[in-house]
Amino acid sequence: MASRILYAEDDRATRESITRALELEGYEVHSVADGTGVFEAVAQQPADVIVLDLMMPHVGGLTVCRRLRAGENRTPILMVTARTEVSDRVAGLDAGADDYLPKPFALDELFARVRALMRRGRYDEPDRRLRAADLLVDEGARRAWRGDRELELTKTEFDLLQLLTRNSGVVLSHSTIYSRIWDYDFGPDSKALAVYVGYLRRKMEVDGAARLIHTVRGVGYTLREP
């Protein structure tokens, strides 16, 4: 069965051309013109990936993303934006998007990013549990706990925590993490990784819990027991 993409774009010509291109790649595509259409489509049938334009009338991409995540919808989201400022891209990630793609973009890059999100949505590994200090990561169930408290994680947050926990004690470089989590190295000026590390730390360090994810300046990050 073909993987399903929900595509939201208010410009009709763009929406129709990208929908055709994705269908030619073998995807089942449901396209909508605004944020309200996204909510209606999600309620009717779940998608494997949501491609979401940032600037849409009435209900914009950021609002859509925040509401989906607040409702515990963890479908991978690719945010598409004509804005090139770092702050705008970080805002998309901060709202819960898993990746972003600036306009104008090449179709091949769109396809590659969709494939990467599709791969991250498939979990065929046997059930495994990873432990570090009082952290428990259940890879099969895609759930994690800090002591007795379950962590409410988005897909990207879980992927990052899983990678760091699997390599506990090992320093992973920025480029290694980008390639493993996003399948793309955003370069030294990107703040995406730091944003997600910040998310994880806030969720993991509640009530003074010891820090497990550490920054190795100029290199990357490592997870180690206190």
Side-chain angles (χ1 to χ4, degrees):
M1 186 173 64
S3 297
R4 188 170 189 271
I5 295 175
L6 174 56
Y7 175 46
E9 164 64 60
D10 64 298
D11 182 79
R12 180 176 178 179
T14 301
R15 185 172 67 251
E16 292 179 349
S17 64
I18 296 299
T19 296
R20 285 196 298 270
L22 289 168
E23 288 175 340
L24 288 172
E25 284 293 296
Y27 298 111
E28 176 188 343
V29 184
H30 182 86
S31 60
V32 297
D34 54 34
T36 301
V38 174
F39 298 132
E40 293 173 350
V42 167
Q44 293 171 4
Q45 184 179 358
D48 296 296
V49 167
I50 298 173
V51 179
L52 186 63
D53 188 59
L54 178 67
M55 299 296 294
M56 293 187 293
H58 309 304
V59 182
L62 290 179
T63 300
V64 171
C65 201
R66 291 191 187 101
R67 289 184 183 176
L68 289 176
R69 295 311 189 215
E72 299 187 356
N73 185 309
R74 299 186 181 182
T75 304
I77 295 175
L78 172 61
M79 187 79 76
V80 179
T81 174
R83 295 181 175 180
T84 58
E85 292 81 2
V86 171
S87 59
D88 292 314
R89 297 196 297 267
V90 170
L93 294 171
D94 198 29
D98 297 279
D99 196 1
Y100 62 82
L101 181 62
K103 292 180 178 180
F105 53 81
L107 282 175
D108 285 344
E109 184 173 6
L110 171 65
F111 298 154
R113 289 175 184 262
V114 167
R115 287 195 299 269
L117 290 176
M118 290 286 183
R119 284 195 296 272
R120 290 163 54 192
R122 300 187 182 104
Y123 306 105
D124 300 324
E125 298 181 21
D127 191 7
R128 291 181 54 195
R129 293 194 168 198
L130 307 173
R131 297 179 185 273
D134 61 346
L135 173 68
L136 170 64
V137 178
D138 187 329
E139 295 185 296
R142 302 232 359 128
R143 300 170 68 185
W145 292 263
R146 188 78 196 267
D148 295 329
R149 182 174 56 86
E150 183 169 2
L151 306 176
E152 294 297 328
L153 304 176
T154 66
K155 180 177 291 294
T156 300
E157 290 167 356
F158 182 89
D159 290 343
L160 178 56
L161 181 61
Q162 179 185 39
L163 176 64
L164 291 169
T165 309
R166 275 185 179 180
N167 295 276
S168 180
V170 177
V171 178
L172 300 178
S173 68
H174 295 92
S175 60
T176 295
I177 298 173
Y178 275 129
S179 64
R180 294 284 296 278
I181 300 300
W182 282 276
D183 266 12
Y184 183 81
D185 188 346
F186 292 99
D189 295 328
S190 174
K191 304 298 183 184
L193 180 54
V195 167
Y196 275 96
V197 168
Y199 293 161
L200 282 176
R201 283 174 172 166
R202 286 195 291 273
K203 292 181 178 183
M204 294 172 65
E205 297 173 11
V206 174
D207 297 329
R211 173 158 294 185
L212 296 181
I213 300 176
H214 298 271
T215 303
V216 180
R217 296 194 180 279
V219 182
Y221 296 93
T222 184
L223 186 146
R224 62 171 180 261
E225 300 186 15

